Amino acid sequence: MARRQPAPARREGRRPLIAGNWKMHMTHLEAIGLVQKLVFSLTEEELDAAEVVVLPPFTALRSVQTLVNGDQLAIGYGAQDLSAHDSGAYTGEVSGAMLAALACGFVVVGHSERRSLHGEDDAVVAAKTQAALRHGLTPIVCVGEGLEVRQAGGHVAHCTAQLDASLAGLSAEDVTRVVLAYEPVWAIGTGEVATPEDAQEVCGALRSRLAERFGPDTAAVVRILYGGSVKAASTAGILAGPDVDGALVGGASLDADEFAKICRSAAGGS
Ligand SMILES: O=C(CO)COP(=O)(O)O
């Protein structure tokens, strides 16, 4: 069984990160089974070479925490959203403080499903990113263009503008604690994975934009993930891009065997 190990430094210090966004799937009982199967499918070396994170629904976080802490499992976990507010009369919301109390390491911010289904604009995304950082959580800030923007050739401008707005108000030091995810909306849940060149083009442009805004040293340490129909078979190609530091995986993260293969591929195995 794989237990906690210190992280190795790769790619200018950027350790590959594979995060499984379970979306609205898995009860807390199912979550325990999935995490156990996942961790037991991976070796200590693999979990050392790539950082593996699961992002269950809120209702499963406590169970995942208990399992990960109790068995000292070498994976991280976090939430799929948080409130921009720290406490108060916000029925149905969950604060960064509550997630920090469950020892979450990560939280997704600005997922396209939150942007489109819940009307979250860049200002909300920026406020949530700041809330995550206030509570010591690593925000996984998502950007990505829809099909029409891509077909019109506006994807780089769209994503860099989303980056600018989503990181508004942050210092360079804050930005070193952020993970970015490029998730083209047309590739999410569609089976239509971006080509490695598509992923690298936008991830590279995001890093260049980070360098312009926050300096090259900051840009060099920020991990940038690709997300959208990632499967084990496509992982190595996608991660070959020099600016692609990992993957944010939806559907394939619900299958322990497939997700373990993705993690293994990111760890440099076959
Ligand atoms: O939205 C995603 C991850 O956040 C991607 O989902 P799929 O991998 O199911 O396309």
Side-chain angles (χ1 to χ4, degrees):
M1 185 180 65
R3 292 177 186 273
R4 285 189 201 284
Q5 290 288 323
R10 298 192 358 178
R11 279 186 192 234
E12 303 182 58
R14 300 194 304 268
R15 184 184 178 204
L17 170 61
I18 302 294
N21 175 7
W22 294 1
K23 307 193 179 182
M24 198 173 71
H25 297 284
M26 301 285 154
T27 66
H28 70 291
L29 295 174
E30 291 165 338
I32 292 169
L34 181 53
V35 169
Q36 282 174 328
K37 191 163 177 207
L38 172 66
V39 176
F40 281 86
S41 304
L42 292 165
T43 64
E44 243 177 66
E45 291 70 29
E46 286 162 349
L47 284 165
D48 200 22
E51 184 168 13
V52 175
V53 168
V54 293
L55 304 162
F58 290 129
T59 48
L61 284 173
R62 175 65 174 157
S63 303
V64 170
Q65 178 198 21
T66 303
L67 176 64
V68 168
N69 283 355
D71 289 354
Q72 287 288 293
L73 303 182
I75 68 162
Y77 58 91
Q80 300 169 19
D81 185 32
L82 84 169
S83 174
H85 307 284
D86 290 343
S87 65
Y90 302 103
T91 301
E93 297 217 34
V94 173
S95 72
M98 294 167 182
L99 299 178
L102 290 173
C104 288
F106 294 82
V107 61
V108 179
V109 174
H111 191 279
S112 64
E113 287 150 17
R114 300 290 319 172
R115 290 179 187 262
S116 66
L117 302 174
H118 300 269
E120 293 188 7
D121 60 15
D122 285 328
V124 170
V125 177
K128 290 188 171 192
T129 301
Q130 291 174 20
L133 292 171
R134 264 199 310 281
H135 294 285
L137 304 162
T138 297
I140 302 175
V141 179
C142 302
V143 299
E145 81 287 354
L147 187 58
E148 282 183 13
V149 172
R150 157 77 45 178
Q151 284 170 339
H155 46 286
V156 167
H158 178 93
C159 293
T160 50
Q162 278 186 327
L163 177 151
D164 284 345
S166 303
L167 303 186
L170 300 189
S171 65
E173 151 74 26
D174 292 332
V175 173
T176 61
R177 295 158 54 208
V178 168
V179 169
L180 290 177
Y182 168 52
E183 294 212 312
V185 178
W186 47 269
I188 295 177
T190 58
E192 180 111 10
V193 64
T195 65
E197 293 74 25
D198 291 337
Q200 169 55 32
E201 181 192 21
V202 177
C203 292
L206 293 175
R207 195 175 309 284
S208 299
R209 188 72 186 139
L210 286 176
E212 276 168 39
R213 290 227 15 222
F214 301 101
D217 292 349
T218 299
V221 299
V222 173
R223 287 183 293 182
I224 306 179
L225 314 181
Y226 165 80
S229 296
V230 171
K231 302 278 184 294
S234 52
T235 304
I238 293 277
L239 267 61
D243 290 300
V244 186
D245 303 313
L248 184 54
V249 184
S253 70
L254 299 172
D255 177 331
D257 291 331
E258 181 74 8
F259 192 57
K261 281 187 201 158
I262 292 171
C263 299
R264 196 166 297 130
S265 183
S270 51

